[in-house]
Amino acid sequence: MNKTIIAPSILSANFAEMGKEIERICKCGADWIHCDVMDGIFVPNITFGPKMIKDIRKVTNLPLDVHLMITEPIRYIRQFAEAGADYISIQVESTAKVKQTLELIKSFGCKCGAVISPETPVSALAEYLPSLDLALVMSVHPGFGGQKFIDSALNKLAELRALRDKVNPACIIEVDGGITEDNVVEAKRAGAEAIVAGSAVFGSSDPKVTMEKMRR
Ligand code: DX5
Ligand code: ZN
């Protein structure tokens, strides 16, 4: 079995110390850096844009896993790609142009991902699955860190995993929201291969141990 990918979400980092926070989390064994981009319209919160990705790119060589929670993401793909994103994922609910947006992401040489919110069924993602590098199941309502894991995500992960195995085995399945040392096993068993964790990692007194536990 392949190694679980741990992707700490910088949403829970101290924004005033972002460079140091990234270095700290890299030293502790992070695999990817998960960057939550929010526009205050698709979700009721605002975070940061391409400039943050560009500056983070200078302090780490780890893959930058950029999760766009913005309306009509097609408008900003070029900027995030040029800023140095490795993975760019879009919420399928955020646009009617999912296919075009995914194609645009690939045209810039980035890996593309599609994300479904808790109320969105796996079927909404299925038609894009053959061309995806990453398929992300939200296990909280997008917008904020520190929320409780929504259990129905487990069935969705299992459904997605079965479908993925059939149509695109290379696509990585990711889970995002409310993951802790206690529920990570269930999420992995259900099918998650990449684990996003914000508060559990940045809020840990020992992020290295927390990430090691999550990976095992
Ligand atoms: C929520 C974000 C998540 C969030 C996860 O909209 O997409 O990445 O930061 O944070 P935790 O792990 O604290 O739920
Ligand atoms: Zn996220």
Side-chain angles (χ1 to χ4, degrees):
M1 203 183 119
N2 290 333
K3 198 179 104 183
T4 301
I5 295 160
I6 306 295
S9 165
I10 57 166
L11 186 59
S12 295
N14 175 0
F15 280 27
E17 302 270 350
M18 192 54 85
K20 283 184 201 152
E21 291 278 74
I22 302 273
E23 277 166 25
R24 179 167 74 97
I25 227 69
C26 289
K27 277 200 196 107
C28 289
D31 298 296
W32 293 355
I33 304 294
H34 185 82
C35 307
D36 287 306
V37 177
M38 305 184 188
D39 67 352
I41 297 172
F42 179 72
V43 287
N45 194 8
I46 299 175
T47 54
F48 48 77
K51 175 69 159 60
M52 179 70 95
I53 307 304
K54 191 174 172 205
D55 289 351
I56 291 175
R57 183 72 292 166
K58 294 173 195 156
V59 297
T60 181
N61 291 322
L62 289 185
L64 301 183
D65 174 28
V66 177
H67 175 193
L68 299 182
M69 285 159 277
I70 64 177
T71 36
E72 298 303 338
I74 200 162
R75 298 174 296 149
Y76 288 99
I77 300 306
R78 171 185 285 275
Q79 290 188 47
F80 283 104
E82 288 177 354
D86 293 279
Y87 287 83
I88 301 179
S89 299
I90 60 163
Q91 295 272 159
V92 298
E93 311 86 359
S94 66
T95 177
K97 299 179 198 140
V98 173
K99 193 161 175 281
Q100 294 99 301
T101 310
L102 294 170
E103 279 165 6
L104 188 63
I105 293 170
K106 286 198 164 178
S107 77
F108 287 113
C110 297
K111 296 206 155 73
C112 72
V115 190
I116 48 172
S117 284
E119 59 283 349
T120 307
V122 170
S123 58
L125 186 147
E127 68 175 289
Y128 313 111
L129 196 51
S131 61
L132 293 179
D133 298 295
L134 190 69
L136 203 180
V137 173
M138 288 304 296
S139 39
V140 298
H141 294 286
F144 299 92
Q147 302 178 72
K148 192 181 169 297
F149 184 86
I150 297 172
D151 285 324
S152 55
L154 294 173
N155 284 336
K156 288 167 72 177
L157 284 167
E159 187 186 346
L160 178 61
R161 171 79 168 240
L163 199 62
R164 188 283 309 265
D165 288 350
K166 254 189 264 165
V167 304
N168 182 4
C171 175
I172 297 169
I173 297 179
E174 186 170 48
V175 66
D176 182 5
I179 299 284
T180 64
E181 287 176 27
D182 299 321
N183 62 20
V184 68
V185 178
E186 284 178 284
K188 283 161 65 168
R189 213 174 273 151
E193 298 153 323
I195 307 289
V196 178
S199 43
V201 171
F202 282 96
S204 171
S205 55
D206 195 337
K208 187 164 188 271
V209 171
T210 298
M211 286 193 276
E212 274 166 9
K213 279 188 189 160
M214 288 185 164
R215 197 175 280 114
R216 270 204 301 267

PDB file of all heavy atoms in Angstrom, residues 34 36 67 69 176, ligand 2:
ATOM      1  N   HIS A  34      -1.395  22.382   2.084  1.00  0.00           N
ATOM      2  CA  HIS A  34      -2.757  22.641   1.600  1.00  0.00           C
ATOM      3  C   HIS A  34      -3.099  24.117   1.825  1.00  0.00           C
ATOM      4  O   HIS A  34      -3.030  24.621   2.941  1.00  0.00           O
ATOM      5  CB  HIS A  34      -3.731  21.737   2.360  1.00  0.00           C
ATOM      6  CG  HIS A  34      -5.147  21.813   1.884  1.00  0.00           C
ATOM      7  ND1 HIS A  34      -5.609  21.104   0.793  1.00  0.00           N
ATOM      8  CD2 HIS A  34      -6.210  22.509   2.350  1.00  0.00           C
ATOM      9  CE1 HIS A  34      -6.900  21.358   0.614  1.00  0.00           C
ATOM     10  NE2 HIS A  34      -7.290  22.204   1.541  1.00  0.00           N
ATOM     11  N   ASP A  36      -5.899  27.022   1.407  1.00  0.00           N
ATOM     12  CA  ASP A  36      -7.331  27.270   1.239  1.00  0.00           C
ATOM     13  C   ASP A  36      -7.581  28.701   0.790  1.00  0.00           C
ATOM     14  O   ASP A  36      -7.385  29.647   1.543  1.00  0.00           O
ATOM     15  CB  ASP A  36      -8.059  27.026   2.566  1.00  0.00           C
ATOM     16  CG  ASP A  36      -8.140  25.546   2.896  1.00  0.00           C
ATOM     17  OD1 ASP A  36      -8.620  24.780   2.048  1.00  0.00           O
ATOM     18  OD2 ASP A  36      -7.712  25.166   4.003  1.00  0.00           O
ATOM     19  N   HIS A  67      -6.586  24.721  -2.869  1.00  0.00           N
ATOM     20  CA  HIS A  67      -8.021  24.406  -2.824  1.00  0.00           C
ATOM     21  C   HIS A  67      -8.798  25.716  -3.001  1.00  0.00           C
ATOM     22  O   HIS A  67      -8.850  26.538  -2.093  1.00  0.00           O
ATOM     23  CB  HIS A  67      -8.316  23.742  -1.463  1.00  0.00           C
ATOM     24  CG  HIS A  67      -9.756  23.452  -1.207  1.00  0.00           C
ATOM     25  ND1 HIS A  67     -10.214  23.109   0.053  1.00  0.00           N
ATOM     26  CD2 HIS A  67     -10.846  23.453  -2.013  1.00  0.00           C
ATOM     27  CE1 HIS A  67     -11.520  22.906  -0.008  1.00  0.00           C
ATOM     28  NE2 HIS A  67     -11.935  23.117  -1.246  1.00  0.00           N
ATOM     29  N   MET A  69     -11.908  27.911  -3.146  1.00  0.00           N
ATOM     30  CA  MET A  69     -13.312  28.046  -2.741  1.00  0.00           C
ATOM     31  C   MET A  69     -13.753  29.433  -3.176  1.00  0.00           C
ATOM     32  O   MET A  69     -13.963  30.338  -2.350  1.00  0.00           O
ATOM     33  CB  MET A  69     -13.439  27.833  -1.228  1.00  0.00           C
ATOM     34  CG  MET A  69     -13.306  26.370  -0.817  1.00  0.00           C
ATOM     35  SD  MET A  69     -12.845  26.164   0.912  1.00  0.00           S
ATOM     36  CE  MET A  69     -11.068  26.357   0.781  1.00  0.00           C
ATOM     37  N   ASP A 176     -10.960  16.341   3.442  1.00  0.00           N
ATOM     38  CA  ASP A 176     -10.630  17.655   4.012  1.00  0.00           C
ATOM     39  C   ASP A 176     -11.714  18.103   4.981  1.00  0.00           C
ATOM     40  O   ASP A 176     -12.862  18.301   4.588  1.00  0.00           O
ATOM     41  CB  ASP A 176     -10.505  18.661   2.854  1.00  0.00           C
ATOM     42  CG  ASP A 176     -10.122  20.069   3.299  1.00  0.00           C
ATOM     43  OD1 ASP A 176      -9.854  20.278   4.499  1.00  0.00           O
ATOM     44  OD2 ASP A 176     -10.083  20.959   2.420  1.00  0.00           O
TER      45      ASP A 176
HETATM   46 ZN    ZN B   2      -9.229  22.846   2.085  1.00  0.00          ZN
END
